[in-house]
Amino acid sequence: AYSREGRLLTGGQDATARLWDETGKQISQLKNCDTAAFRVAFTSTQHPLVGDWSGTVREWTQEGKEVRAFVHTH
């Protein structure tokens, strides 16, 4: 996913999402996923959102601090 500022957010099989700047330099690693980080997006305030296979979606600051988690329950 791309932010309005041109930052890129990627997710991976290693349960980690990464935030990159417009030059390709890694800004932060978002490492608290339970399983593969397979869905990424940005909030309207440009905070990264990362969803994993367990159904949990986490919101982060761009500096890599977890803000909150939304846990899917059956």
Side-chain angles (χ1 to χ4, degrees):
Y2 282 97
S3 73
R4 288 190 299 250
E5 293 103 15
R7 294 182 174 175
L8 175 65
L9 180 61
T10 61
Q13 292 290 332
D14 60 354
T16 301
R18 290 174 175 81
L19 185 62
W20 311 86
D21 71 13
E22 57 280 347
T23 67
K25 179 182 172 198
Q26 184 174 297
I27 297 171
S28 58
Q29 288 188 27
L30 315 174
K31 296 179 94 173
N32 203 21
C33 294
D34 297 327
T35 59
F38 81 101
R39 192 68 79 173
V40 294
F42 286 94
T43 66
S44 61
T45 58
Q46 298 305 291
H47 281 184
L49 290 174
V50 181
D52 63 31
W53 281 110
S54 73
T56 301
V57 176
R58 289 181 168 80
E59 180 181 353
W60 303 80
T61 65
Q62 292 201 12
E63 295 76 31
K65 181 179 179 199
E66 187 175 328
V67 175
R68 65 182 138 207
F70 305 92
V71 180
H72 174 73
T73 57
H74 299 283

